[in-house]
């Protein structure tokens, strides 16, 4: 029996014990990570560089790209390093920092997606009041609220999780430090504090989900009243990428947390966690740029400028 005071490190779950497959995992994650850095970096640079994109929608998209960059940078580099060096270890403080960072970024991202649904609702359902309801100050306040919600949620969960005594070893059933995996190591049977935090978080998450659903119901009703096909196309081209990102985020998170015990397995848990922690931040830039002509044209301009400067040097 061990307790939390004697634990100096945790052992993360390996994808495989075979050395060749460990190296394959390293290169695969490296490719995904570089794609995420490139995609999200291009979106951030383009929005910051192009004055025409200094609008509420792109301001929130810039924040989302920053959160995606942060979340994938929290989990993937450590997993890559462990595969490369054939290790499973992460320090106690490193695990706490990783858990806090991931909880903060995921919560803030969900909050930001909720804010973005409000932006789409106002743009389509109340276009005459768009400038009033979504002025620069209001946008900054909403983005700050999303980030602050993430910090508060992560701080509460991290301090509470690591205050519980741990006596079930130090091996985690996940490739990064995650709250449910830490709780499985706890020898405390009094989960009332954790249960209380969970209830609050579920209520907030459900409230955001309801807000997003109601917003899109109103958007759909407004779009169906648009007489021109061009108006339909413009409305859907703005909303469909956001809806796709929300669907991917919510569906994987719900399945990870609420899947039946009868179908639960370590391999399935690993696949689902890779989907929401690795794949989602990497494909979000592709989803947003695929149907957004304005963003694609601005990205091409940025890349052309960068390429011309590189050639001149």
């Amino acid at each position: 029996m061990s307790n939390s005071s004697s634990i100096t490190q945790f052992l993360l779950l390996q994808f495989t014990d075979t050395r060749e497959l460990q190296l394959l995992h390293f290169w695969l994650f490296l490719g995904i990570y570089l794609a995420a850095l490139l995609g999200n970096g291009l979106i951030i640079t383009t929005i910051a560089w192009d004055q025409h994109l200094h609008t509420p929608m792109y301001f929130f998209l810039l924040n989302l790209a920053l959160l995606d960059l942060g979340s994938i940078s929290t989990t993937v580099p450590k997993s890559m390093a462990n595969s490369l060096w054939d290790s499973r270890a992460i320090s106690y403080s490193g695990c706490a920092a990783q858990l806090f960072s991931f909880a903060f970024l995921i919560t803030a991202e969900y909050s930001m997606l909720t804010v973005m649904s409000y932006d789409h609702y106002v743009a389509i359902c109340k276009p005459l009041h768009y400038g009033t309801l979504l002025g620069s100050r209001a946008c900054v306040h909403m983005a700050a609220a999303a980030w602050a919600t993430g910090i508060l949620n992560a701080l509460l969960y991290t301090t509470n999780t690591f205050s519980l005594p741990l006596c079930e070893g130090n091996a985690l059933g996940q490739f990064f430090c995650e709250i449910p995996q830490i709780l499985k190591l706890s020898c405390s049977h009094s989960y009332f504090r954790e249960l209380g935090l969970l209830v609050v978080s579920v209520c907030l998450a459900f409230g955001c989900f309801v807000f997003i659903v109601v917003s899109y119901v109103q958007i759909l009703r407004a779009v169906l009243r648009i007489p021109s096909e061009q108006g339909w196309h413009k409305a859907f081209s703005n909303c469909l990428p956001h809806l796709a990102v929300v669907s991917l985020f919510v569906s994987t998170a719900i399945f990870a947390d609420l899947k039946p015990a009868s179908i639960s397995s370590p391999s399935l848990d690993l696949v689902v966690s890779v989907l929401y922690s690795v794949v989602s931040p990497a494909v979000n830039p592709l989803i947003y740029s695929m149907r957004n002509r304005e963003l694609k044209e601005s990205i091409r301009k940025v890349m052309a400028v960068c390429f011309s400067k590189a050639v001149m040097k």
Side-chain angles (χ1 to χ4, degrees):
M1 299 285 284
S2 62
N3 55 49
S4 54
S5 61
S6 63
I7 293 177
T8 59
Q9 66 177 14
F10 293 96
L11 299 178
L12 299 174
L13 181 67
Q14 282 184 313
F15 282 85
T16 177
D17 295 327
T18 308
R19 185 59 186 154
E20 290 77 12
L21 293 179
Q22 286 178 345
L23 293 176
L24 177 62
H25 160 249
F26 168 79
W27 289 111
L28 179 61
F29 265 35
L30 178 62
I32 294 174
Y33 186 55
L34 291 177
L37 289 178
L38 177 62
N40 287 292
L42 271 175
I43 286 180
I44 293 168
T45 304
T46 301
I47 294 174
W49 175 78
D50 193 340
Q51 296 288 332
H52 296 96
L53 301 183
H54 290 183
T55 63
M57 182 179 77
Y58 291 109
F59 172 73
F60 295 132
L61 181 56
L62 184 147
N63 278 267
L64 185 69
L66 286 171
L67 292 167
D68 279 334
L69 268 183
S71 65
I72 198 170
S73 298
T74 299
T75 58
V76 169
K78 180 59 181 175
S79 181
M80 288 166 50
N82 281 359
S83 291
L84 184 62
W85 303 115
D86 191 18
S87 172
R88 296 177 59 193
I90 183 172
S91 66
Y92 187 92
S93 59
C95 184
Q98 189 180 65
L99 188 149
F100 172 83
S101 300
F102 190 71
F104 153 53
L105 292 162
I106 287 295
T107 304
E109 181 166 348
Y110 188 46
S111 302
M112 194 65 65
L113 289 170
T114 306
V115 170
M116 292 173 76
S117 69
Y118 176 71
D119 170 64
H120 292 312
Y121 164 75
V122 175
I124 294 173
C125 299
K126 297 181 181 295
L128 298 179
H129 302 284
Y130 189 79
T132 304
L133 295 175
L134 286 164
S136 57
R137 181 176 295 183
C139 290
V140 170
H141 287 169
M142 285 188 281
W147 287 81
T149 301
I151 292 175
L152 180 61
N153 186 67
L155 187 62
L156 290 173
Y157 265 111
T158 305
T159 54
N160 184 67
T161 300
F162 282 92
S163 67
L164 296 172
L166 307 178
C167 62
E168 298 294 333
N170 65 341
L172 302 177
Q174 187 57 276
F175 74 97
F176 63 95
C177 289
E178 199 177 34
I179 293 169
Q181 298 299 326
I182 302 292
L183 293 178
K184 288 179 181 179
L185 304 181
S186 174
C187 50
S188 172
H189 297 288
S190 57
Y191 294 116
F192 295 111
R193 287 180 302 172
E194 195 71 29
L195 184 61
L197 286 175
L198 181 63
V199 169
V200 172
S201 296
V202 167
C203 290
L204 288 174
F206 183 72
C208 290
F209 179 73
V210 170
F211 185 89
I212 292 172
V213 170
V214 171
S215 296
Y216 272 100
V217 168
Q218 296 298 321
I219 288 171
L220 182 61
R221 291 175 60 186
V223 168
L224 292 176
R225 291 197 295 265
I226 297 176
S228 66
E229 186 177 337
Q230 186 179 2
W232 280 39
H233 178 76
K234 184 177 180 181
F236 280 123
S237 65
N238 287 334
C239 294
L240 284 179
H242 176 260
L243 197 56
V245 170
V246 170
S247 300
L248 178 62
F249 185 92
V250 172
S251 60
T252 52
I254 289 177
F255 186 78
D257 295 331
L258 301 178
K259 63 181 177 299
S262 58
I263 65 170
S264 181
S265 67
S267 58
L268 181 61
D269 292 345
L270 197 60
V271 169
V272 174
S273 65
V274 168
L275 282 176
Y276 73 77
S277 65
V278 179
V279 175
S280 182
V283 301
N284 282 354
L286 182 63
I287 293 173
Y288 269 104
S289 60
M290 191 180 299
R291 294 184 60 86
N292 193 318
R293 185 179 300 176
E294 187 179 23
L295 182 60
K296 284 193 291 187
E297 289 177 355
S298 294
I299 289 175
R300 289 194 194 101
K301 290 178 183 177
V302 170
M303 294 180 68
V305 169
C306 293
F307 180 75
S308 61
K309 287 184 177 179
V311 170
M312 289 174 64
K313 290 181 180 179

